[in-house]
Amino acid sequence: MIKINLVKQKEMKLVKFFLAMLAGFGLIKVYNFVAQMELEEEESDIYDDEHEYPLFV
């Protein structure tokens, strides 16, 4: 009965590791998505400002 318990503990450690790895990967994806949205927003602001107030008139 002790051996069965040890096997289950090892399996649970492996499952927990994979779940933590997936969660970390998901957080990285979300961070990249938010950063990309902010960059696109800044680029559109720069584009709008250039057309409203041109440098050379």
Side-chain angles (χ1 to χ4, degrees):
M1 197 159 193
I2 293 174
K3 290 184 179 181
I4 294 173
N5 193 12
L6 290 175
V7 171
K8 286 184 180 180
Q9 284 180 347
K10 287 181 182 180
E11 288 177 3
M12 288 303 294
K13 286 182 181 179
L14 188 62
V15 169
K16 286 181 181 179
F17 171 77
F18 281 117
L19 289 175
M21 187 175 67
L22 286 174
F25 182 71
L27 288 175
I28 291 170
K29 284 293 202 181
V30 168
Y31 175 77
N32 285 336
F33 178 74
V34 170
Q36 185 66 30
M37 284 179 50
E38 288 181 6
L39 285 175
E40 289 175 359
E41 184 177 302
E42 287 177 7
E43 289 175 359
S44 68
D45 289 344
I46 292 170
Y47 181 77
D48 291 340
D49 289 343
E50 287 177 355
H51 286 287
E52 288 181 23
Y53 308 105
L55 292 177
F56 302 104
V57 180

